[in-house]
Amino acid sequence: SHPLDLRLPTPGCFADPERAGLDADAVFDGMTEHLFFTLGKLAPTASNHDLYMALSYAVRDRLMTRYLASLEAIRARPHKTVAYLSAEFLIGPQLNSNLLNLGISKDIAEQALRRFRIESLDQILEVEEEPGLGNGGLGRLAACYMESLASLQVPAIGYGIRYEFGIFNQLIRDGWQVEVTDKWLKGGWPWELPQPEEACFVGFGGRTESYTDGKGNYRSRWIPSEHAIGIPHDVPVLGYRVNTCNRLRLWRADATESFDFYAFNIGDYYGAVEEKVGSETLSKVLYPNDGTDEGRRLRLKQQHFFVSCSLQDMLRSLGNRGIPIEEFPNHWTVQLNDTHPAIAVAELMRLLIDEHYLDWDTAWDITTRSVAYTNHTLLPEALEKWDLTRFRSLLPRHLELIYEINRRFLQQVRLRYPGNDAIQRKLSIIDEDGGKAVRMANLATIAAHHVNGVAALHSDLLKRQLMPEFAEIWPEKFTNVTNGVTPRRWVALANPALSRLLDEHVGPEWITNMELLTKLEERQHDTAFLEQWGATKLSVKRKLAGYIHRQTGVLVDPSSLFDVQVKRIHEYKRQHLNALQVITHYLRIKNGQAEGMAPRTVIFGGKAAPGYYMAKLIIRFINGIAETINADPDMEGRLRVVFLPDYNVKLAEQIYPASDLSEQVSTAGKEASGTGNMKFAMNGALTIGTLDGANVEIRERVGPENFFLFGKTETEIMELQTNGYRPRQIVETLPELAEALRLIGLGHFSNGDGELFRPLLDNLTGFDPFFVLADFADYLRAQDEVNQAWTNRKQWNRMSLLNTARTGFFSSDRSIQDYCQTIWKAEPFPVEITCDVP
Ligand code: BZD
């Protein structure tokens, strides 16, 4: 590629940090200027937050050469670009990751900070507010993928929503979750660049009409009754030590006019302001639901809003460069992160047909060659369905187009399965059983050139269980891309102690080539090294112990086994299975049957959807158990239970590196992949887990002897379900379980209130929809194995080392390479910047 000589103020040369503005003097000068000119503060009175802002602006300045060069490179020489459409991007704190990817070391940052009398970078990182623009795994995956795309120098843009309020902050009051509004923007957020001149209009509601154009063609058009404006807010996404700096383009909704002209003219001032207020609420708040489809009208509006803005933006960029619209699929590859952006199929068709006057076949060809769909769940309650009447009232033209897509598709189905009405009903985009509804997964699957699941098992079940007929019609459409996580954030930033060890024994290249970590295997019998390995883990556990004490007042012993389950609270994830195990452990100690049981600290964290009663009760349950156990003198030095409030990316960065045991105990077949499981294993935690999601592949790679497997397989669970499952019978055969349930029923973990956890007990002994009791005995057996293994610390350290050594596959760099090769057909596009700046 051609080097770009942009003559920009800060050069992009890594070879020469001084001239690149990446040395301590330059960072200090940048901070000083921003403190004074941008923030209006004097250094002696600057708060830590002021200094955070000043450092962030100084770092942001240093991204700009690469950011602008990357944009300019694509403008000058078009290259296929990935458009990752996602309603969520859980990007986490930005300052430290930008420092790392730019190559400004902690030491350099601290040299600059010391001149403001700040001793450690951590003091500044602490005050950073993280944008919680996602619920959990799906949103975090999108963020890891954006980071890997940039690091692999693949041109990409992430399209999403700039929610004013992200996922709620979680407080724990009397053991219950309390939700508090997340005002992440309140102190100002320095990482975004608003681009009001690139705003887009989006319509809603109204009606459609037919007309004949000048050439006598019969056409349709949409006359919306309402509009919103989307204003892009761009967040730079720099790759690791490369010039590629991609963008996350988040749309904020604004009113079309400050006043509605008609209402204004008739003097209805307040009525006019109402529409303004109404359209601004579009990007107001993230729906905090990660597993059930709420089917709310505002949610569909949000989806259409950001999808329409994004597609218009892509079409406009072709127009700006004089590229014919038929070339769309060669310039954009559009990935749908679950069905949340699936309205893109109908919206792209509408834009091509109604606004760019293409015929149906051309438009359909462009759409189906551009769009691919990732499925993240098989749970029926999570599959998006929109009530037909509601859908029509909001998007009447889209519904017409969907009917036509469906009509043509069902014609194909009829040819293939003549007379088979059941298959037609099942595959139709329109659900006709009960209240009519639009099935977004069917729409996405019909239009996509590829449909992928997120782990081998999940992709297999997607084909065999959820969509067998689709897979029969289009076998080549279905594929797997196992999830991955970025080693920059989840090892280098989160675990500097481990990173130093890896730098020393593997070489610093591991950070962009995680497969190199297999070199650690050479050390698996090296006693001194294994001790160093264990000591490194212990040092990180000490830090977490300090945090736990400050947050919860509970003192935990850093040398105890840190047994951790952090993730959204869900019945299928079975935090209550873990909680029951804790009770058993407690009872064994109480009953003097705990000989040989090593001290443990059981750590939980995670948010429950505000409307999910059972999940909230599980949080209360864990806190009840924690209270009883931590107050019992018999438990001193043997067992501690902690629920860490407000689990988010920042807290996650503290937890994964400090964990010994990773709890991945979902009911087989229910967790699509999991990504926390990967972060734990990379950081040397051993997994106790079921054969679910990516656990299967983690176990294959680390070796079955380095993984604590338990539980029924997906097939066995299915069999139980069909043959009739009787959880109450299980209780009768397991005295330890019976005793645990009896104590719960007596109010032993709820200050004598025997009713508090009744719904949970009834759920478990009645239906037990996620087979908690069916897996209980085997889980206890595996926990005993964990205890055994922990007692031989050298052996444990060896197993831990092998987990790190063998989990390179789970780098999101590998996932992105898979997507590029099999789905996107997208290639790296290195950006060159000349360094001969005066
Ligand atoms: O996606 C998760 C799955 O549960 C995990 O198994 C998987 O690893 C990750 C990434 O593929 N799904 C979600 O996180 N889903 C949501 O957050 C969500 C959000 C809104 C609506 C529905 C689901």
Side-chain angles (χ1 to χ4, degrees), residues 355-476:
E355 302 199 356
H356 292 269
Y357 307 116
L358 298 185
D359 60 71
W360 181 279
D361 289 334
T362 309
W364 185 244
D365 181 63
I366 293 173
T367 303
T368 52
R369 286 199 293 132
S370 309
V371 173
Y373 156 52
T374 305
N375 172 284
H376 295 265
T377 184
L378 304 173
L379 299 183
E381 65 269 29
L383 296 178
E384 284 192 303
K385 278 205 274 181
W386 297 108
D387 169 82
L388 200 82
T389 312
R390 170 168 297 177
F391 193 99
R392 185 187 288 112
S393 81
L394 194 65
L395 301 168
R397 179 62 182 138
H398 298 75
L399 188 60
E400 288 178 1
L401 292 163
I402 286 171
Y403 274 141
E404 182 59 14
I405 294 169
N406 203 35
R407 190 187 65 78
R408 289 171 183 243
F409 168 66
L410 291 179
Q411 225 162 26
Q412 264 179 270
V413 176
R414 268 193 295 276
L415 286 177
R416 198 181 167 112
Y417 306 98
N420 192 337
D421 240 43
I423 287 199
Q424 281 197 54
R425 295 175 74 82
K426 195 174 166 201
L427 301 192
S428 172
I429 304 173
I430 310 299
D431 185 352
E432 313 258 3
D433 306 330
K436 287 195 177 190
V438 185
R439 295 167 171 152
M440 300 310 270
N442 295 36
L443 175 64
T445 303
I446 290 163
H449 55 82
H450 282 88
V451 175
N452 76 283
V454 289
L457 173 67
H458 168 65
S459 296
D460 190 54
L461 293 173
L462 181 63
K463 259 199 301 201
R464 291 191 299 109
Q465 278 181 14
L466 192 67
M467 305 184 155
E469 299 84 3
F470 282 119
E472 194 171 275
I473 299 173
W474 295 302
E476 59 307 323

Side-chain angles (χ1 to χ4, degrees), residues 5-56:
D5 185 357
L6 293 170
R7 300 279 163 196
L8 292 171
T10 53
C13 225
F14 285 116
D16 188 349
E18 244 170 74
R19 287 201 316 165
L22 304 179
D23 60 319
D25 284 338
V27 173
F28 171 77
D29 290 345
M31 286 185 69
T32 306
E33 288 220 351
H34 281 293
L35 257 188
F36 193 89
F37 292 112
T38 311
L39 301 164
K41 295 282 168 71
L42 291 171
T45 55
S47 66
N48 281 8
H49 185 262
D50 293 329
L51 293 171
Y52 158 73
M53 292 294 279
L55 179 56
S56 296

Side-chain angles (χ1 to χ4, degrees), residues 303-304 307 339 341-347 391 395 398 402 440 443:
Q303 295 181 349
H304 178 249
V307 164
T339 56
I343 190 65
V345 174
E347 174 67 355
F391 193 99
L395 301 168
H398 298 75
I402 286 171
M440 300 310 270
L443 175 64

Side-chain angles (χ1 to χ4, degrees), residues 80-81 91 130 189 407 432 604 613 672 685 689 701 735:
K80 198 187 226 186
T81 303
I91 57 178
E130 78 172 70
W189 195 63
R407 190 187 65 78
E432 313 258 3
F604 292 87
Y613 172 73
R701 286 180 188 267

Side-chain angles (χ1 to χ4, degrees), residues 591-611:
N591 299 333
Q593 298 161 338
E595 210 186 312
M597 282 176 81
R600 271 204 202 205
T601 301
V602 186
I603 300 166
F604 292 87
K607 295 174 184 175

